[in-house]
Amino acid sequence: MRSLSSLSNMKELIESVSKELAADRHEAEMVIASLLGRPRHELHFLDAMSDREQVQILQRVRQLKQGIPIEYLTRKVQFRDHVLAINPGVFIPRLETEQLIEYVRKIPGREPQMILEIGTGCGALTIALAFLFPGARIVATDISEKAIENAQENIVDHALGSRVELVRCDMYGGISGVFDLIVSNPPYIPRDRLGILPPSVKDFEPLEALDGGEQGVEFIEELIEDGQMHLAKDGIMAFEIDDDGTDLLRTFLEDNNIGPYVFRRDLFGRYRYLFIGVDRAKS
Ligand code: SAM
Ligand code: GLN
């Protein structure tokens, strides 16, 4: 990479980033545009970038090369129609979780009035649900202080403070009342798979958001069992799960006589969602 002081304009910055990342010019432009939070076509009108700004961009590009997710550098993540703040140390919402909302949207019946989300992270599911069900009140929890702070920022940005309550607690520890919909994308990676996650996940994202216990289903089983007392009659539970846990979860549900339930697949054809209180024939 060239010495920073010689990067006198955008063209040189693009060249330098493209060399650093072994990427072509277009990719380098896209990276720089994302890091600056500007549309790509504006880059060439930004010739007057200060040396300090250029140095910052190059430092971030080096972090990217080391595997840090770009969302932790831009501090922004897109979730459905919403642009959310995301802070390092907080789980980055995934595409498959957007699909959980689609399934919830299609469940027939009355709109939920009271919703509980366990493990809200930056608040993505809660914010999407708040817009989907404008009459609902939502309680969103997380055990992580960083997550609660991040979710608070997003709730305020989306003017949802009057309908969303954030609670820092462990599972249902701080929760009272009953809910029409209990939703969670809990930690569900089986422990022996944690080590083989991509470096961008295992080296940068919080372990407590991923570690689902020995078999990956322990957390979900606890959520189902302890959640029964918080679920309204005819209430629904909606979970994101790992495909490998389907058999264990099916056995658990049958053994405990919990149902009706239905597993649903993600865009890649893997079982990724579990709905309880939803009749397969009617959904
Ligand atoms: N809901 C967000 C999403 O879908 O993008 C975050 C999901 S992340 C996979 C799981 C979240 O559960 C993390 O934010 C983590 O801090 C939280 N969590 C882990 N253990 C928890 C517990 N015992 N009680 C409440 N939340 C917990
Ligand atoms: N789907 C996430 C991943 O692959 C895991 C999410 C979770 O444990 N809830 O990183």
Side-chain angles (χ1 to χ4, degrees), residues 113-131:
Q113 299 299 300
M114 289 296 294
I115 300 175
L116 172 63
E117 186 195 1
I118 303 286
T120 193
C122 74
L125 273 172
T126 279
I127 287 167
L129 289 168
F131 282 94

Side-chain angles (χ1 to χ4, degrees), residues 188 193 241-249 263-266 269-273:
Y188 59 61
R193 265 180 39 209
I241 59 156
D242 185 77
D243 189 83
D244 288 347
T246 327
D247 289 342
L248 289 167
L249 286 170
F263 290 98
R264 293 278 181 226
R265 294 178 197 272
D266 64 16
R270 289 179 302 234
Y271 282 122
R272 177 70 68 190
Y273 316 98

Side-chain angles (χ1 to χ4, degrees), residues 89-103:
V90 180
F91 182 84
I92 301 167
R94 303 291 204 270
L95 183 65
E96 52 265 34
T97 310
E98 299 188 23
Q99 207 184 344
L100 179 63
I101 296 285
E102 263 325 287
Y103 280 119

Side-chain angles (χ1 to χ4, degrees), residues 136-270:
R137 297 187 66 81
I138 308 183
V139 177
T141 77
D142 207 290
I143 200 165
S144 146
E145 191 173 352
K146 281 187 186 163
I148 291 291
E149 279 172 11
N150 196 153
Q152 176 68 24
E153 188 181 341
N154 284 318
I155 300 299
V156 170
D157 281 355
H158 288 77
L160 291 170
S162 61
R163 290 202 287 130
V164 176
E165 182 191 350
L166 288 169
V167 183
R168 183 174 177 214
C169 64
D170 183 359
M171 307 295 275
Y172 297 99
I175 301 303
S176 56
V178 289
F179 298 86
D180 307 304
L181 173 64
I182 296 178
V183 61
S184 185
N185 170 19
Y188 59 61
I189 307 287
R191 206 154 280 162
D192 64 358
R193 265 180 39 209
L194 288 172
I196 57 166
L197 289 172
S200 62
V201 178
K202 73 168 187 255
D203 296 345
F204 294 97
E205 294 202 72
L207 185 65
E208 67 192 346
L210 300 161
D211 182 356
E214 281 313 316
Q215 303 193 287
V217 294
E218 288 86 338
F219 204 105
I220 298 171
E221 290 181 353
E222 203 179 322
L223 279 178
I224 296 172
E225 207 165 355
D226 296 353
Q228 298 303 314
M229 61 182 279
H230 292 291
L231 196 61
K233 187 175 168 297
D234 300 326
I236 285 165
M237 287 180 156
F239 300 112
E240 188 173 314
I241 59 156
D242 185 77
D243 189 83
D244 288 347
T246 327
D247 289 342
L248 289 167
L249 286 170
R250 191 176 284 115
T251 306
F252 171 83
L253 292 165
E254 294 293 337
D255 287 353
N256 289 283
N257 215 5
I258 293 171
Y261 64 85
V262 59
F263 290 98
R264 293 278 181 226
R265 294 178 197 272
D266 64 16
L267 295 168
F268 305 97
R270 289 179 302 234

